Amino acid sequence: MPVPAHTISTSFAATAPDVAIVGAGVAGSALAIVLRRAGLDVHLIERSDPFRDRIRGETIHPWGATELRRLGLYTLAVADADAQPQQLWQTYRDRETQTPYRWADDFPDAPNGLGVNHVALQNALLGEAARLGAIVHRPATVSFDRAGGRPSLTVTSAAGESWLQPRLVVGADGQNSATRAWAGGTARPDPAHHHLGGALIRGLGLPADRIHQAFFDGGFVFVSPQANDFARLYLVVATPTAMEIQASADPAGRFVEYFRDALPEGTIGPSWESVGPAGFFPNANVPVAIPSSRDVVLIGDASGRNDPSQGHGLSLAFHDVRILGDMLLEGDDWSFVPDRFHATKHRYFETLRQHARWNERQASETGPEIDEIRARIARSRETDPSAGGFAAIFAAGPDGLEATGEARRHYLGLDLADDVANVA
Ligand SMILES: Cc1cc2nc3c(=O)[nH]c(=O)nc-3n(C[C@H](O)[C@H](O)[C@H](O)COP(=O)(O)OP(=O)(O)OC[C@H]3O[C@@H](n4cnc5c(N)ncnc54)[C@H](O)[C@@H]3O)c2cc1C
């Protein structure tokens, strides 16, 4: 859904806004909404118009849906972006349908995730930010400087050039953040273990009240249904397999083949079609180091990308928005906010990063060694189904969890008495 032209306003009058947000993706636009509701003067700078399908996050785990509720954005996501509530997690193993897991049974306060088209969500959030009075520069480029002790941004769009001297710059410009580079931040990806691919398919005829995860030897397919029988297929496989599929004549067709062949015979009919790009991405977490600052703060992927095969990115972005929004609305002195926010984010980002790494090998490896690891994890869950609290991470998020060495050993069952001698 394109943002109607009349909701986009452009102004060159306000040169010293409270906040300039670079990047109007989900993180930037959601923050603009929160700050506009509090009456702050907000400029949003977005380089792309229209947004296009870049194969991004479209499953919002239950903890992310909770963050949306806390931000007062859940209804907007459902009503304006057609987000589909997903109450169940349906798995398939050995081509058999397993009993679906119902989030509400264990987490009555986080009873569902959401499946949503990413571009529709971006448009809904940006449209709302503009409706609330955020000044949107789009499509626009930005260059950064400092003048008179303040950040100084030159924004160039079809309307000409404008000069902004905000109290605070928020970099919400994604994993290759230009704001981060200007602020002296660095991003160092972890080594990639496997690849995650995405394809948009219409006509699979799957129930939309659940996510679907089908396991096969060497990986899994994760399917997030959206409105109108659209679905995003995410395929997790070893990197050489991903490269081979990417180079094939019909990558999207191969995604569907993997899915179809992991489901009970006849579940997927012939009448589906590929309706978007298909492509692969390394699973690597990308932690970020950010120098101390009084007036530049990073949120969303700009401040660290979680392994996309874990599907936490959108939830993390909404969590960032809530935490940073609360800090900014707490008082007038913002000078401590960037460092305080970055320190807070570092803690919950690290928890998700380590948890992702604990799961990497099980995602796509095959053979007797990984079978033994899986068996040991299964034995460990018999004695502690909560996995030290980490089993709840998709429903409750990372807060309150600490990814220590001890937590890792417990998660992987390395602390089981009969296995201690086999610890690698
Ligand atoms: C293959 C894949 C699958 C994923 N699956 C999931 C999933 O299922 N669930 C989930 O929660 N997450 C998932 N993610 C992660 C999720 O998509 C991201 O974490 C999320 O989109 C981050 O949002 P963001 O707003 O921080 O950044 P982005 O979505 O990257 O938005 C950044 C915005 O900034 C703009 N921009 C960039 N540079 C500039 C500039 N210099 N000037 C102005 N504007 C600029 C961009 O145009 C864009 O609009 C997935 C990621 C990938 C790659």
Side-chain angles (χ1 to χ4, degrees):
M1 183 187 70
V3 180
H6 67 269
T7 66
I8 304 285
S9 46
T10 308
S11 160
F12 304 102
T15 55
D18 295 308
V19 181
I21 302 174
V22 182
V26 288
S29 291
L31 183 68
I33 293 170
V34 168
L35 300 183
R36 275 304 303 149
R37 281 183 190 146
L40 297 184
D41 187 8
V42 177
H43 282 235
L44 252 179
I45 303 148
E46 170 56 46
R47 73 175 170 198
S48 61
D49 188 8
F51 292 122
R52 60 188 176 84
D53 183 355
R54 296 183 303 141
I55 314 175
R56 287 291 183 266
E58 301 197 323
T59 286
I60 302 176
H61 291 312
W63 78 277
T66 301
E67 290 295 348
L68 279 173
R69 286 189 185 92
R70 288 173 169 172
L71 288 166
L73 293 173
Y74 183 92
T75 304
L76 178 97
V78 171
D80 290 8
D82 242 342
Q84 302 293 299
Q86 298 169 336
Q87 293 89 4
L88 303 172
W89 188 316
Q90 177 73 69
T91 52
Y92 309 85
R93 290 181 190 275
D94 302 323
R95 304 205 71 172
E96 286 187 7
T97 307
Q98 311 292 303
T99 306
Y101 175 74
R102 183 180 300 276
W103 295 106
D105 291 345
D106 292 323
F107 305 100
D109 295 337
N112 66 281
L114 291 169
V116 65
N117 177 275
H118 191 95
V119 170
L121 185 60
Q122 285 178 305
N123 282 327
L125 291 168
L126 177 55
E128 179 67 358
R131 193 187 68 77
L132 290 171
I135 306 294
V136 179
H137 305 259
R138 182 192 192 207
T141 57
V142 59
S143 62
F144 304 87
D145 207 342
R146 298 196 79 84
R150 273 195 172 202
S152 174
L153 308 188
T154 305
V155 180
T156 308
S157 69
E161 244 181 31
S162 52
W163 182 38
L164 304 178
Q165 284 208 296
R167 284 179 66 193
L168 182 74
V169 175
V170 178
D173 45 353
Q175 56 181 314
N176 300 315
S177 171
T179 314
R180 184 178 66 222
W182 167 63
T186 50
R188 287 230 166 74
D190 288 340
H193 175 271
H194 50 262
H195 268 63
L196 164 76
L200 188 64
I201 306 293
R202 181 167 54 203
L204 290 173
L206 296 168
D209 62 347
R210 64 198 66 190
I211 50 178
H212 304 258
Q213 188 173 22
F215 295 92
F216 55 85
D217 209 24
F220 60 85
V221 185
F222 188 91
V223 178
S224 183
Q226 304 173 2
N228 305 316
D229 204 11
F230 283 76
R232 180 71 66 183
L233 266 66
Y234 297 109
L235 176 64
V236 170
V237 285
T239 298
T241 311
M243 298 301 109
E244 184 268 311
I245 295 170
Q246 185 72 75
S248 69
D250 179 17
R254 297 284 301 281
F255 281 54
V256 177
E257 250 171 51
Y258 268 96
F259 187 46
R260 189 194 58 210
D261 294 351
L263 296 185
E265 190 97 31
T267 309
I268 301 294
S271 57
W272 56 268
E273 59 176 330
S274 164
V275 286
F280 280 93
F281 303 82
N283 80 305
N285 293 284
V286 184
V288 158
I290 310 163
S292 175
S293 173
R294 296 164 66 86
D295 48 27
V296 183
V297 65
L298 305 177
I299 59 170
D301 277 9
S303 59
R305 181 185 94 145
N306 185 243
D307 173 348
S309 61
Q310 295 292 308
H312 284 298
L314 294 170
S315 306
L316 251 177
F318 295 129
H319 194 52
D320 289 357
V321 167
R322 185 171 61 79
I323 302 286
L324 178 61
D326 285 353
M327 287 181 185
L328 292 175
L329 300 181
E330 219 171 70
D332 255 3
D333 179 6
W334 288 355
S335 58
F336 65 92
V337 167
D339 287 356
R340 194 173 144 212
F341 172 77
H342 291 144
T344 307
K345 165 119 194 198
H346 178 75
R347 282 195 293 277
Y348 56 78
F349 180 83
E350 273 304 302
T351 299
L352 289 168
R353 175 188 176 200
Q354 297 309 328
H355 177 254
R357 299 202 68 176
W358 300 346
N359 285 311
E360 274 181 340
R361 296 194 62 191
Q362 298 89 283
S364 63
E365 291 186 28
T366 56
E369 190 189 336
I370 200 71
D371 287 346
E372 165 53 22
I373 290 173
R374 289 196 183 101
R376 194 167 49 203
I377 292 171
R379 285 202 296 283
S380 175
R381 296 296 178 276
E382 284 165 17
T383 52
D384 175 16
S386 84
F390 280 86
I393 204 163
F394 295 100
D399 288 347
L401 295 171
E402 261 193 83
T404 59
E406 196 185 337
R408 173 182 170 275
R409 288 174 59 77
H410 184 62
Y411 187 85
L412 295 173
L414 297 170
D415 56 354
L416 290 176
D418 57 342
D419 285 311
V420 168
N422 296 330
V423 171

